[in-house]
Amino acid sequence: MAHSNRVLAMLVLAALGASCGDDGGRTDGSASGGATSGIVTLDDEPRLDVAADGTAGAEDGGNLGGCKKIDVILSVDNSSSMSEEHEALRGPVFDSFPQALLAVNGGLDDFHLAVIDACPKPAYFHDTGIGGACNFSTGANSMVSSSPELAQEFACVTNFSPTGYMGQPDMCIDDGSLDDDDEQPGLTAAAAVTGEALMGPNAGFLRDDALLFIVTITDEDEKLADVGTTQEIFDQIVEAKGGDVNKVVYLGIAGGSFCVGPYGTASDAVQAKALADLFATAGRGMFWDLCMGELETAFQTAIESQVDSACVDFIPEG
């Protein structure tokens, strides 16, 4: 399809150090592939990247400013109906994800990668899969792009277990009610980078000089069991980056309607869309319709249309 070809072309250009992309955060709400709201458009105009002195830089990919590090959180629904999505994460998504991310802004130094399910009780990043401890090379509960065993570590932790952190069980419930608190990927990501979780097991993950990239995936909807509105989740995430939404990119993946799609049944995710749209309105997020499938394209599109421009514009704290 034309969109996929364009994404592939963008990835090739990025790998060669070219600086093509968007115009710095313009949104038009148009659909592209499975992106049903708030997608930042890609144009055919070349972009002058920001140089180290904050001025327009060279198109040859020379002395680029912006961020050189990205902290990535994957907050993923761990219900039994998500097996197809989990397999896609370990397969076509991961096959291209590290290389595409490292090509951002002419080449990153590294990225941190953390995986957690949709339960914020506790909001500790997982270091255990269904087969047991994943033994990350970092010695922590998150991974780093330089790990020689990154593929194995990621495969281990995305074989989700109900005991996600050092054998500690989730305390969420799953009774089929509207108040299920194990269906909160957005809130879980927010809780993971604030408060007790960040001061405790998740310490060291979030860096002042790194862009924060959050991906949430569910085939149901964000349950507001512990908060009143999606605005509260948005505010909590932004506060984790010093109150600056420009230091965050949010990709929400859920059903755009009730459907039986490529990954099975998905609900109409009203709240998940609303949360993603808050970031899209700020020029730092998008929603991908799970009913359309193609999770790998969702990741690639977010990286090319949002993460790259956010990283170029990034100004580290201090």
Side-chain angles (χ1 to χ4, degrees):
M1 57 190 258
H3 174 70
S4 296
N5 290 336
R6 182 173 62 178
V7 170
L8 179 60
M10 292 292 292
L11 289 171
V12 171
L13 288 174
L16 293 172
S19 52
C20 297
D22 63 8
D23 61 3
R26 177 171 57 84
T27 62
D28 64 0
S30 61
S32 181
T36 58
S37 68
I39 183 170
V40 175
T41 59
L42 297 169
D43 339 286
D44 296 325
E45 297 298 322
R47 184 189 67 226
L48 294 178
D49 284 311
V50 179
D53 61 1
T55 62
E59 292 185 51
D60 61 4
N63 188 19
L64 299 179
C67 76
K68 285 298 180 182
K69 302 172 184 177
I70 296 179
D71 300 329
V72 185
I73 298 173
L74 303 185
S75 184
V76 185
D77 183 352
N78 187 27
S79 59
S80 59
S81 60
M82 288 284 293
S83 59
E84 295 94 341
E85 290 89 342
H86 295 170
E87 290 174 6
L89 283 176
R90 293 188 293 270
V93 169
F94 187 80
D95 288 345
S96 61
F97 177 69
Q99 295 82 2
L101 195 60
L102 286 170
V104 163
N105 193 27
L108 296 180
D109 292 338
D110 66 71
F111 63 80
H112 284 181
L113 177 59
V115 174
I116 193 169
D117 63 12
C119 171
K121 302 172 184 176
Y124 301 158
F125 298 137
H126 287 199
D127 59 6
T128 304
I130 199 68
C134 296
N135 299 315
F136 297 155
S137 65
T138 58
N141 60 340
S142 59
M143 297 160 278
V144 66
S145 55
S146 59
S147 171
E149 304 296 330
L150 180 62
Q152 293 90 332
E153 294 169 2
F154 185 78
C156 174
V157 77
T158 51
N159 271 297
F160 286 92
S161 165
T163 56
Y165 172 71
M166 295 186 69
Q168 180 174 338
D170 286 341
M171 302 305 293
C172 293
I173 61 170
D174 183 9
D175 62 3
S177 73
L178 293 177
D179 292 330
D180 279 3
D181 57 3
D182 66 334
E183 301 288 351
Q184 300 189 87
L187 180 63
T188 300
V193 292
T194 54
E196 183 271 336
L198 190 63
M199 297 296 291
N202 300 350
F205 172 78
L206 201 64
R207 298 172 289 180
D208 290 344
D209 59 348
L211 182 75
L212 176 59
F213 179 29
I214 293 175
V215 182
T216 63
I217 309 175
T218 179
D219 61 359
E220 296 195 32
D221 196 5
E222 181 82 27
K223 303 296 191 302
L224 302 179
D226 300 298
V227 292
T229 65
T230 55
Q231 184 70 50
E232 294 177 55
I233 302 173
F234 173 88
D235 291 343
Q236 192 171 345
I237 291 172
V238 172
E239 184 59 31
K241 294 302 292 180
D244 189 352
V245 69
N246 291 311
K247 295 178 179 178
V248 182
V249 172
Y250 187 95
L251 168 61
I253 302 175
S257 62
F258 177 81
C259 71
V260 179
Y263 301 121
T265 301
S267 300
D268 185 9
V270 175
Q271 301 298 341
K273 285 185 286 187
L275 178 55
D277 282 346
L278 288 172
F279 286 95
T281 298
R284 288 293 182 256
M286 57 176 275
F287 178 83
W288 185 271
D289 186 359
L290 190 62
C291 299
M292 301 294 292
E294 298 187 41
L295 283 183
E296 63 274 26
T297 305
F299 277 73
Q300 291 170 345
T301 302
I303 290 170
E304 289 300 324
S305 69
Q306 306 250 348
V307 174
D308 186 69
S309 61
C311 190
V312 167
D313 295 340
F314 185 87
I315 302 174
E317 294 181 19

